[in-house]
Amino acid sequence: MHNKTYCNIIKKGMFVSHQGVSLCCINPDKHQITPSEFWFGTVRKTALLNMELENKVKGCDLCYNNEEKNTPSSRMFYNSYENTESKDLPTMLDLDFSNFCNLKCVMCNSTRSSEWAKDQGKEVSTISKELIDDLFKISNDVTEITIQGGEPSIMKEYEYYFELLYNNKIIKNINLQVITNATNINNKFYTLLGKFKSVRLSVSVDAFGKANDYIRWPSHFNQIEKNLIKMSDLKNTVKVEILNSLNILSMFDYDKFLFWCKKIEKIYTEKNKYFGLVPMKVIRPIEYSPFIAPILLKEKFIQDVKNFLNVENLKHNSNFKTEILMILHRLKNSNTNNEAIIKLKTSIQQLDKQRGSDIRKFISNFYNYI
């Protein structure tokens, strides 16, 4: 039984990013050193000692705070990998090689999207080939990898790293998670996925139909649906799930989103394939957090979830109902933040001006609740 500050990713792995190296992806304490220097260095050793003493680890406050509010945390997610071995070299890696992306999601920023960076006059930020080579030198024991971005499927850096793993016969030992927007199917990237021991495609979809198009601009919901159906024909070693980053713009007509997920699940079930839904929540920027929403919108969202659960459930993810009910509990006990609502309105007005759009064409009842 692990103690209250233990985290698998600190003990068994690390986060390697174009922004630096750190204990995990949400830990803000990034270091501009090589992956091997971080793995054998003092920052990780200090964190390991603090965990052993049941002291809090620097930069892990977000997880601790979520757990105090009885909501899921990244630490809880990482600790689900309890069967992953601990060795002298990393067995788990969380990778973020670039901010190169084809979308400008409303809750994103320039560190995660090159499209947002472009607006700020910044170039694409990418990890160097030398750092990838250094990472590869300590990758012999890796069995679990998560890749994110940006959009991983269009990054040459991941293809380069995967080819190193493949050429040295390491890739066949690795379970891979890909966090993707599924707006395209890159044939070379998906061919390399077939070399891994197993693959979990975690597809970011945050709402139904045009609402998702507005949130994950300028994606097309219908194309994402077609790509999801196409993914159902991938090898049996590939599992597909929706990562639903619940934000305030997701809360309109959420029952339509859940019934759509059920429709996709049935397609996968007919092919004896797994399809899951993982409900998450946006905390920052604060104006996009669901927890700051007006009470009428919260009540509508809660009723939409109940409308679905009264007649359906998602069979493949046994934790779905528990996870969504935890979010509902926190919604009921959170207060409307009027300052954040004003900030949201300002943000939407700026987005509409920049895009030449009108949110009412995507979320028709937006101003009925906001």
Side-chain angles (χ1 to χ4, degrees):
M1 183 72 178
H2 295 307
N3 66 51
K4 61 184 179 182
T5 65
Y6 175 86
C7 184
N8 261 333
I9 190 65
I10 298 174
K11 176 70 174 175
K12 303 172 184 178
M14 59 183 167
F15 178 60
V16 180
S17 166
H18 63 100
Q19 303 174 70
V21 190
S22 61
L23 297 172
C24 82
C25 67
I26 63 171
N27 191 302
D29 190 25
K30 304 288 191 295
H31 298 264
Q32 304 304 316
I33 57 179
T34 67
S36 59
E37 287 172 333
F38 184 87
W39 179 255
F40 296 109
T42 56
V43 172
R44 181 171 168 272
K45 287 179 180 177
T46 300
L48 291 172
L49 178 60
N50 280 327
M51 286 198 307
E52 185 178 338
L53 297 174
E54 297 193 37
N55 295 332
K56 290 186 175 181
V57 176
K58 180 181 178 181
C60 296
D61 293 335
L62 183 58
C63 283
Y64 302 144
N65 291 340
N66 279 339
E67 290 165 18
E68 286 175 4
K69 296 172 184 176
N70 293 318
T71 54
S73 70
S74 293
R75 188 179 83 98
M76 292 165 64
F77 167 75
Y78 285 125
N79 285 351
S80 67
Y81 289 88
E82 59 184 356
N83 293 327
T84 303
E85 290 186 67
S86 176
K87 296 187 175 182
D88 291 339
L89 293 177
T91 54
M92 300 174 67
L93 289 174
D94 196 347
L95 307 178
D96 173 25
F97 280 176
S98 176
N99 69 343
F100 186 46
C101 191
N102 57 337
L103 299 184
K104 293 175 69 175
C105 301
V106 295
M107 59 283 191
C108 199
N109 56 56
S110 59
T111 64
R112 292 288 187 180
S113 168
S114 55
E115 290 298 302
W116 278 117
K118 190 188 302 181
D119 286 353
Q120 299 176 11
K122 298 177 182 177
E123 300 291 329
V124 176
S125 176
T126 303
I127 195 171
S128 70
K129 183 181 176 183
E130 289 73 21
L131 287 179
I132 297 175
D133 288 338
D134 179 84
L135 174 65
F136 169 70
K137 291 176 182 177
I138 57 170
S139 295
N140 286 345
D141 293 333
V142 173
T143 59
E144 306 289 339
I145 293 180
T146 296
I147 64 170
Q148 51 182 299
E151 172 48 40
S153 68
I154 58 175
M155 293 182 194
K156 300 297 182 184
E157 293 76 18
Y158 283 124
E159 293 177 5
Y160 174 72
Y161 180 58
F162 291 172
E163 286 171 344
L164 288 175
L165 296 173
Y166 175 69
N167 292 335
N168 288 271
K169 298 181 173 56
I170 300 172
I171 201 168
K172 60 184 174 57
N173 303 320
I174 297 173
N175 302 303
L176 176 71
Q177 179 189 19
V178 183
I179 300 175
T180 174
N181 60 39
T183 55
N184 67 89
I185 302 291
N186 176 346
N187 288 332
K188 182 178 180 181
F189 179 83
Y190 276 82
T191 298
L192 283 167
L193 295 189
K195 311 295 183 185
F196 284 86
K197 180 179 179 180
S198 72
V199 176
R200 179 153 51 103
L201 293 173
S202 300
V203 181
S204 297
V205 183
D206 299 334
F208 177 78
K210 286 187 172 294
N212 192 72
D213 294 346
Y214 192 91
I215 295 167
R216 307 189 68 79
W217 185 270
S219 64
H220 297 284
F221 187 81
N222 291 339
Q223 185 60 53
I224 293 171
E225 179 177 300
K226 289 177 183 177
N227 290 341
L228 279 168
I229 294 171
K230 188 175 181 180
M231 289 174 180
S232 69
D233 292 322
L234 293 172
K235 294 170 61 175
N236 287 333
T237 54
V238 178
K239 291 185 177 182
V240 180
E241 65 186 8
I242 297 294
L243 280 191
N244 178 224
S245 295
L246 179 65
N247 63 83
I248 198 167
L249 301 185
S250 310
M251 298 173 73
F252 301 82
D253 302 320
Y254 195 71
D255 52 348
K256 291 181 181 178
F257 170 74
L258 292 175
F259 282 111
W260 172 78
C261 288
K262 187 64 182 181
K263 182 185 83 170
I264 302 299
E265 183 191 64
K266 288 178 180 177
I267 294 172
Y268 277 71
T269 300
E270 289 171 359
K271 299 178 181 181
N272 295 315
K273 299 290 184 63
Y274 174 89
F275 180 83
L277 171 62
V278 181
M280 305 172 72
K281 69 275 180 195
V282 170
I283 303 298
R284 303 187 193 92
I286 184 64
E287 63 268 28
Y288 286 101
S289 168
F291 303 113
I292 63 99
I295 185 65
L296 287 179
L297 182 56
K298 288 178 181 175
E299 289 174 349
K300 172 179 168 45
F301 176 81
I302 291 168
Q303 189 58 51
D304 283 350
V305 173
K306 289 180 178 178
N307 289 344
F308 175 78
L309 292 178
N310 284 339
V311 295
E312 290 284 8
N313 196 6
L314 295 170
K315 297 178 181 177
H316 293 178
N317 181 4
S318 59
N319 294 324
F320 163 72
K321 190 171 182 178
T322 299
E323 291 167 349
I324 196 69
L325 289 176
M326 288 174 70
I327 291 174
L328 294 191
H329 177 76
R330 184 170 172 186
L331 273 175
K332 290 177 182 177
N333 291 283
S334 60
N335 297 319
T336 300
N337 184 327
N338 291 320
E339 288 185 9
I341 293 296
I342 293 171
K343 196 172 181 181
L344 172 67
K345 289 180 179 179
T346 301
S347 176
I348 295 300
Q349 290 167 0
Q350 291 173 343
L351 284 173
D352 280 346
K353 183 178 180 180
Q354 183 184 59
R355 297 170 173 180
S357 61
D358 183 342
I359 193 171
R360 290 169 294 187
K361 293 182 178 179
F362 298 84
I363 305 174
S364 61
N365 52 351
F366 177 77
Y367 286 112
N368 295 344
Y369 291 92
I370 301 297

